[in-house]
Amino acid sequence: MLEIADIAAGYGPVRVLEGLSLKVPAGQVTCVMGRNGAGKSTMLKAVMGLVRVEAGTVALEGQRIERLEAHRVPGLGIGYVPQGRRLFGDMTVAENIAIGLRTRGRGAATRERVLDLFPRLRERLGQLSRTLSGGEQQMLAVARALCLEPKLLMLDEPTEGLQPSMIALIREVVLRLRDEGVAVLLVEQRVDAVLAMADRVAFMTGGHVAEVVPAPGLTPEAPQFVRYVGV
Amino acid sequence: MSFGPYLLLAVLEGLVSAAVLALTAVGLGLVFGVMRVVNVAHGAFFMLGAVIAWMVADALPGPPALGFAAALVVAPLAVAALAAAVDFGVLKRLGYDPDATIVATIGVLYIVEQAALSLFGPDARPVQAPFNLRLQLPWFGYSGYKLAVVAAAVVVLLAVWLVLSRSRAGLVMRATQIDGETARAFGIDTDRVYAGVFALGAGLAALAAVLVVPIQQAHYLMGGDPLLLSFIVVIIGGLGSLRGTVIAALLIGVSEGVVSVFFSPTLAKILATLLVALVLVFRPQGLFGRRAA
Ligand SMILES: Nc1ncnc2c1ncn2[C@@H]1O[C@H](COP(=O)(O)OP(=O)(O)O)[C@@H](O)[C@H]1O
Ligand SMILES: [Mg+2]
């Protein structure tokens, strides 16, 4: 589905990503782990066109996208859940959803499907999103991305700061999308959450992917967790 | 005339300035709120609206109402188009850097003023009001046109509010204002939003100027006061708050009207400046603004 090949990217003169390659197949959850500052968030921004890709290629279903203007990327079917949620805080839940529905998706049908996944959001449609609880905000961030009916869903640390019940809900949604054939790229720092969701795990360090391991071969004691994440 | 009617007259005059000021300041506030650009050329866009209104009215034969109506359409559109060009040609190239755009809009101010001076000349020129109705109150007669200006401003401000809060375009503008990067990640072409907002802001200033020009003549230096007062209103009202901007415009406009009538216009300016200083010290986010999170 998504193929990142040997890209370099960064902020102004500072290069953060160098020689990074990663494939994200459809119908699988590809988890990305790595220490703070390894460049995980920057990689997702590079795919979204929010950070300029200076070398290498990014392809979605074989179509090159690394030179596209950022606002043309999501319409191709990429849903993005940024780190820290980045909701439109002074907008209501319904308005955040409406932003998601603008570009892609099948309007009311998509909206109903997404709200069925998160009934708590349906009860709070008129509420300002900055007044939601942390868990509800994360649900909304995921819901907003799902409104694009994504072929590729990218989530940046969605379980950060959430209670176990919320993490379980996120997991349920991620696995359901995977089973529907969506390619999921999930940046996740919690070993238990990774082991519960991943089909493959990519370990990042110093701005590139050092190792990709099939999840069935991983246990909580795997040496990669110590080497790349430090847990 | 005894005190009561005198006060009524002062309040009416104040309402007229408040109406014009609210339109102008909302334009400035929108641009700053969405784009984080301090548009020093806002007063120049105001002036250009008045000058174009005079040119249109002067070029059209026939009754004054016809010329005025044409000016009401042509001047805001022309100024909005110029602003969109400035956005595309200048501000976008600067990456909307907050400091660089201040300097750039100072340049635009100077160019627009000099262009107006050479094309329009140094003289103040009147535009005839579209109608000459006088409303006879028990104590004095009052210009029906001035009351129409207030009504027009109310209608336009309501329309702006409706667009911002209820329409798709408004949703997109608010998303861009709150978080441009995330807006792009959801398919919003923020460059187009910026061009549109800059054009809308300038168009509102031009519209205010067309409304004012039958009351106060067109002159190439007339943009200074509206610029200063708009900044005052936007600061007092709270950046990014439409409601705050309108209320602050009422406060400044009406109190200036009253103070000018009973004391002096200079004292009115001093008091407005003092009020800004107080707001900046004690409530820097403005009366109706929320503190940045
Ligand atoms: N907006 C930015 N401007 C400059 N440097 C940045 C910016 N965002 C992140 N960085 C730098 O890029 C590096 C990678 O950051 P990031 O991709 O956020 O890492 P991770 O998500 O893996 O923790 C860090 O050194 C960080 O300081
Ligand atoms: Mg990160």
Side-chain angles (χ1 to χ4, degrees):
Chain A
M1 176 65 63
L2 178 75
E3 186 163 352
I4 303 172
D6 203 19
I7 60 166
Y11 305 89
V14 187
R15 278 221 168 161
V16 174
L17 307 179
E18 190 86 65
L20 183 149
S21 301
L22 182 66
K23 287 183 187 168
V24 184
Q28 290 193 23
V29 176
T30 304
C31 279
V32 177
M33 299 189 87
R35 288 192 171 81
N36 278 338
K40 307 178 295 293
S41 298
T42 305
M43 172 174 75
L44 301 195
K45 285 187 189 172
V47 173
M48 293 308 297
L50 299 171
V51 167
R52 215 176 83 84
V53 175
E54 284 149 25
T57 62
V58 180
L60 185 76
E61 295 182 305
Q63 187 195 344
R64 297 262 301 266
I65 63 169
E66 77 277 356
R67 287 276 163 273
L68 287 184
E69 292 172 276
H71 69 269
R72 301 200 184 280
V73 173
L76 304 173
I78 305 185
Y80 174 45
V81 181
Q83 185 164 18
R85 305 173 192 125
R86 305 277 290 262
L87 294 173
F88 300 109
D90 278 337
M91 291 189 187
T92 62
V93 171
E95 287 173 331
N96 273 275
I97 300 259
I99 293 278
L101 288 169
R102 259 185 79 253
T103 316
R104 232 177 97 88
R106 293 168 293 113
T110 301
R111 182 185 145 107
E112 288 312 302
R113 201 176 77 93
V114 169
L115 288 175
D116 285 343
L117 286 175
F118 301 105
R120 279 178 57 180
L121 294 179
R122 195 191 285 283
E123 295 160 16
R124 292 169 169 74
L125 284 171
Q127 194 173 329
L128 283 187
S129 62
R130 69 180 149 80
T131 65
L132 296 173
S133 75
E136 290 160 355
Q137 291 196 5
Q138 191 64 63
M139 285 184 207
L140 180 54
V142 175
R144 181 177 63 174
L146 293 184
C147 285
L148 288 111
E149 299 270 354
K151 304 172 194 163
L152 168 67
L153 178 65
M154 304 199 295
L155 307 101
D156 199 344
E157 307 207 17
T159 65
E160 210 175 13
L162 294 192
Q163 299 167 357
S165 64
M166 282 299 163
I167 298 179
L169 178 64
I170 301 272
R171 188 187 73 207
E172 198 180 300
V173 170
V174 163
L175 295 184
R176 180 187 302 199
L177 289 161
R178 176 196 67 183
D179 294 341
E180 289 170 4
V182 173
V184 180
L185 180 56
L186 171 65
V187 175
E188 180 55 72
Q189 293 295 68
R190 309 167 62 107
V191 173
D192 55 342
V194 167
L195 292 176
M197 285 188 265
D199 295 296
R200 300 154 72 241
V201 184
F203 292 95
M204 274 184 78
T205 180
H208 69 282
V209 173
E211 205 173 323
V212 182
V213 186
L218 282 173
T219 61
E221 290 77 33
Q224 286 91 346
F225 291 128
V226 180
R227 194 176 317 143
Y228 299 112
V229 194
V231 289
Chain B
M1 210 158 50
S2 61
F3 179 77
Y6 212 45
L7 182 66
L8 178 65
L9 179 65
V11 168
L12 282 175
E13 288 291 297
L15 274 180
V16 176
S17 353
V20 175
L21 181 54
L23 284 179
T24 316
V26 162
L28 186 76
L30 264 179
V31 166
F32 184 81
V34 176
M35 308 169 70
R36 300 279 129 182
V37 166
V38 174
N39 180 20
V40 183
H42 197 62
F45 289 147
F46 179 94
M47 174 275 290
L48 202 57
V51 165
I52 293 175
W54 177 83
M55 287 173 165
V56 170
D58 188 58
L60 274 184
L66 184 69
F68 183 82
L72 208 49
V73 176
V74 172
L77 286 182
V79 172
L82 174 71
V86 167
D87 171 79
F88 186 78
V90 182
L91 304 181
K92 186 179 169 187
R93 280 171 203 223
L94 296 172
Y96 300 101
D97 176 78
D99 302 329
T101 49
I102 292 184
V103 178
T105 55
I106 292 175
V108 172
L109 157 74
Y110 184 75
I111 292 169
V112 170
E113 261 182 20
Q114 292 307 309
L117 174 62
S118 28
L119 293 175
F120 177 77
D123 303 324
R125 302 179 198 222
V127 171
Q128 272 194 47
F131 53 86
N132 261 323
L133 192 73
R134 267 193 97 69
L135 226 66
Q136 197 50 54
L137 300 178
W139 318 277
F140 54 84
Y142 198 72
S143 155
Y145 177 72
K146 285 186 177 176
L147 293 178
V149 167
V150 175
V154 170
V155 169
V156 172
L157 289 170
L158 270 177
V160 170
W161 175 76
L162 273 177
V163 166
L164 279 177
S165 62
R166 298 291 153 85
S167 77
R168 250 159 189 261
L171 187 72
V172 163
M173 274 167 60
R174 283 183 290 141
T176 305
Q177 164 163 9
I178 296 170
D179 185 345
E181 188 179 67
T182 305
R184 275 193 291 284
F186 282 87
I188 293 173
D189 184 351
T190 50
D191 282 343
R192 255 181 61 191
V193 176
Y194 288 159
V197 166
F198 202 65
L200 176 63
L204 283 172
L207 181 66
V210 178
L211 292 176
V212 95
V213 92
I215 303 171
Q216 177 200 332
Q217 307 187 343
H219 183 252
Y220 82 105
L221 289 178
M222 72 191 292
D225 265 9
L227 177 69
L228 182 68
L229 287 172
S230 294
F231 271 119
I232 289 179
V233 161
V234 168
I235 291 169
I236 291 179
L239 292 165
S241 161
L242 183 67
R243 189 174 55 122
T245 304
V246 171
I247 293 175
L250 274 174
L251 191 73
I252 294 289
V254 173
S255 56
E256 180 167 6
V258 171
V259 175
S260 307
V261 166
F262 286 103
F263 302 97
S264 81
T266 315
L267 180 65
K269 288 238 161 52
I270 293 174
L271 286 178
T273 312
L274 206 65
L275 185 57
V276 172
L278 285 175
V279 166
L280 282 177
V281 171
F282 293 106
R283 207 177 151 80
Q285 74 272 35
L287 295 183
F288 296 87
R290 272 197 316 116
R291 216 178 271 277

